[in-house]
């Protein structure tokens, strides 16, 4: 396990002897999962000292307060703490297993739905999801033409995500890439290589903290995967954290979906709920439903982890926290006046729809939506979840219609505006997206950061405000 390059030199005795250093260290490990720093106080102290110097804070207690109240500073610290060692086609044997076993299996099973959903969790600067995209396009392209393919890369380090979206790499990132792949799939720009657009089109990147983020969650776009790849990430976590994560990965997979962990991370006990498949140089795990009970003791349930930073939501490079605006801007008068809010508090039916969708059971979730809409056709949450399901199965037009209907029925619901903004961004309608995002900010103006904006408390006003502020900045629109 490698260390990030510690800021050069300097004496950290005063950081290590600060009475609040222990609390600060515990909070950082809780928030990021990086138990790796448990017995590396010196290295952590170097990183913390450098950050405290940047923000002119002299003691650990004050710095702890700062990262707990300022997610931009937490992001800056995370950027220094995390280790982004990665390269294209890392560990060839696992890519061989993807090519020879996993992708053919999933493609054969998904012939009816013509969909493919892959998650690279802890993707760093992107070579892992892009390698999958290249393999899919080059070796399976003819079999999945017109399929709805989605490859999602997530990470806790916003700087890595920005570089991943850029898709430019130094030569060192290709140390195990066949030369013909480099020549054909990348364009040389100066000293770097830029991935060609056809290998980028199915790949999206999104902030997600594996520790704080509750998943599966359709609202956060983390659900219903055919393949999850999480390599060289959990090596930094504690045994308790890992025990909690593996069932979450399992729940985020479709039945018979595959989990690919780092090649040095096989563990019979941890993965006992999966079918284990051994390939030369690779151990793979498949979600099955009818395994005989494992003869091993159940895992201990980890203690809940307190989370001083945001959970997951969409693509958000770090930004300074802005002061909240004093009053909400009026919503543009383009849609009809709001109808009475039939379902701001969603019924049990909505919880069922969400649960099914979180498990990736799109068809059943869609049926539950239909049933709900037959009873309460004016329920904006039912239309919202309908939209989320349409989106997951690649029905863009229907997704947009359902989002607009949800907004029409209750213009005060934040998430439909937010997802409409994301949808319009993907359609390159920057103007429409800016309008939707400004509506979000107006609706959020008076809400405290910890106010839930979803029918569960998983997504808060603070998360959405930050995400939208960043999106507005990225598309060049004013955020206020
Ligand atoms: C060594 S890289 C692995 C990259 C890639 N999966 C590979 O194997 O080539 C580990 C990545 O895990 C990310 N990471 C660490 N803690 C995380 C967390 N709590 N949630 C999400 N990602 C995390 C780091 O930011 C880093 O990018």
């Amino acid at each position: 396990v490698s260390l990030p390059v510690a800021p050069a030199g300097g004496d950290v005795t005063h950081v290590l002897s600060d009475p609040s250093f222990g609390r600060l260290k515990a909070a950082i490990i809780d928030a990021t999962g990086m138990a790796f720093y448990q017995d590396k106080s010196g290295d952590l102290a170097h990183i913390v000292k450098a950050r405290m110097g940047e923000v002119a804070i002299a003691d650990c207690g004050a710095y702890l307060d700062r990262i707990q109240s300022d997610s931009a500073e937490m992001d800056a610290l995370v950027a220094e703490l995390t280790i982004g060692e990665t390269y294209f086609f890392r560990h060839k044997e696992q890519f061989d297993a993807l090519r020879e076993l996993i992708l053919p299996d999933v493609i054969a099973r998904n012939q009816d739905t013509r969909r493919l959903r892959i998650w690279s969790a802890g993707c760093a600067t992107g070579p892992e999801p892009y390698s999958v995209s290249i393999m899919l396009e080059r070796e399976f392209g003819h079999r999945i033409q017109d399929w709805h393919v989605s490859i999602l890369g997530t990470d806790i380090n916003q700087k890595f995500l920005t570089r991943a979206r850029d898709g430019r790499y130094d030569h060192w990132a290709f140390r195990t890439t066949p030369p013909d792949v480099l020549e054909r799939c990348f364009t040389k720009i100066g000293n770097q290589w830029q991935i060609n657009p056809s290998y980028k089109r199915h790949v999206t990147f999104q902030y997600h903290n594996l520790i704080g983020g509750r998943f599966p969650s359709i609202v956060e776009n983390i659900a219903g995967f055919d393949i999850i790849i999480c390599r060289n990430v959990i090596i930094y976590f504690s045994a308790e954290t890992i025990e909690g994560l593996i069932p979450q990965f399992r729940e985020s997979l479709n039945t018979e979906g595959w989990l690919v962990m780092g090649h040095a991370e096989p563990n019979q006990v941890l993965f006992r709920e999966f079918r284990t498949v051994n390939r030369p140089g690779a151990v793979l795990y498949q979600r099955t439903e009818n395994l005989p009970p494992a003869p091993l003791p159940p895992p201990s349930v980890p203690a809940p982890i307190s989370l001083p930073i945001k959970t997951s939501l969409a693509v958000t490079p770090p930004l300074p926290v802005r002061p909240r605006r004093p009053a909400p801007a009026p919503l543009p008068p383009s849609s009809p006046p709001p109808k009475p809010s039939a379902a701001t508090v969603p019924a049990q039916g909505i919880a069922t729809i969400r649960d099914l969708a979180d498990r990736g059971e799109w068809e059943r979730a869609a049926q539950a939506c239909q049933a709900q809409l037959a009873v309460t056709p004016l329920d904006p949450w039912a239309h919202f979840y309908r939209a989320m399901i349409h989106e997951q199965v690649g029905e863009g037009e229907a997704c947009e219609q359902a989002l607009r209907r949800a907004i029409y029925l209750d213009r005060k619901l934040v998430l439909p505006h937010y997802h409409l903004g994301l949808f319009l961004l993907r359609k390159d309608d920057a103007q429409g997206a800016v309008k939707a995002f400004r509506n979000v900010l107006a609706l959020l103006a008076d809400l405290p950061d910890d106010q839930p904006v979803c029918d569960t408390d998983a997504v808060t006003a603070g998360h959405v405000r930050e995400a939208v502020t960043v999106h507005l900045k990225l598309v060049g629109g004013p955020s206020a």
Side-chain angles (χ1 to χ4, degrees), residues 2 31-34 78 82-87 90 120-125 127-129 154-157 160 208-212 229-237 262:
S2 49
T32 61
M34 299 201 60
V78 164
T82 44
I83 295 120
E85 167 68 2
T86 186
Y87 46 93
R90 181 180 195 172
S120 162
C123 65
T125 50
E128 189 173 84
T154 65
D155 205 279
I156 193 180
N157 183 323
F160 290 166
H208 182 254
N209 182 353
L210 287 163
I211 302 305
I229 305 173
C230 182
R231 304 184 308 158
N232 311 302
V233 179
I234 63 166
I235 40 174
Y236 301 103
F237 297 167

Side-chain angles (χ1 to χ4, degrees), residues 150-418:
S150 152
I151 303 171
L152 174 68
T154 65
D155 205 279
I156 193 180
N157 183 323
Q158 307 267 22
K159 279 193 181 164
F160 290 166
L161 290 171
T162 304
R163 285 171 53 196
R165 273 180 224 112
D166 238 24
R168 270 188 204 206
Y169 300 91
D170 295 333
H171 205 272
W172 187 232
F174 303 101
R175 50 197 181 268
T176 61
T177 303
D180 70 301
V181 172
L182 181 57
E183 290 295 333
R184 283 168 190 268
C185 306
F186 295 81
T187 304
K188 190 142 196 230
I189 300 178
N191 287 334
Q192 292 191 306
W193 294 85
Q194 167 85 55
I195 189 155
N196 291 340
S198 58
Y199 304 107
K200 253 185 146 181
R201 68 195 163 116
H202 297 308
V203 184
T204 53
F205 294 96
Q206 170 183 316
Y207 173 89
H208 182 254
N209 182 353
L210 287 163
I211 302 305
R214 291 178 9 182
F215 65 93
S217 163
I218 188 173
V219 174
E220 304 199 35
N221 191 29
I222 306 276
F225 295 102
D226 298 299
I227 303 169
I228 298 176
I229 305 173
C230 182
R231 304 184 308 158
N232 311 302
V233 179
I234 63 166
I235 40 174
Y236 301 103
F237 297 167
S238 71
E240 292 74 23
T241 301
I242 296 170
E243 279 179 15
L245 272 178
I246 304 301
Q248 285 185 279
F249 282 138
R250 186 174 179 279
E251 291 301 307
S252 307
L253 280 170
N254 295 329
T255 303
E256 298 186 69
W258 293 88
L259 177 64
V260 182
M261 304 299 291
H263 75 285
E265 297 155 10
N267 181 319
Q268 243 189 310
V269 180
L270 273 178
F271 300 101
R272 65 187 168 284
E273 299 289 334
F274 291 82
R275 182 167 86 92
T276 302
V277 178
N278 285 293
R279 304 289 287 187
V283 183
L284 314 156
Y285 304 100
Q286 187 174 29
R287 176 176 178 167
T288 51
E289 301 302 340
N290 300 318
L291 275 182
L296 295 158
S300 59
V301 178
I305 292 161
S306 68
L307 184 82
I309 57 173
K310 60 185 173 285
T311 56
S312 68
L313 200 80
V315 277
T316 57
L319 264 196
V321 171
R322 288 163 194 265
R324 196 116 23 92
R325 297 193 316 131
L331 288 172
S334 54
S335 10
K339 293 267 189 305
S341 189
T344 25
V345 181
Q348 183 56 33
I350 298 298
T352 306
I353 296 166
R354 193 192 55 247
D355 287 349
L356 287 167
D358 283 351
R359 295 206 299 267
E361 297 190 31
W362 315 126
E363 245 111 89
R364 287 183 62 202
Q367 283 163 10
C369 257
Q370 286 310 111
Q372 178 74 16
L373 287 168
V375 183
T376 57
L378 300 184
D379 182 339
W381 282 108
H383 289 284
F384 170 70
Y385 279 109
R386 190 82 187 95
M388 295 295 90
I389 296 161
H390 282 308
E391 184 182 348
Q392 297 301 330
V393 301
E395 294 165 353
E397 211 172 300
C399 167
E400 182 175 355
Q401 268 176 18
L403 283 174
R404 290 194 186 280
R405 181 146 307 187
I407 292 169
Y408 171 74
L409 290 168
D410 188 344
R411 292 174 67 195
K412 295 210 165 106
L413 292 188
V414 172
L415 286 182
H417 289 283
Y418 173 66

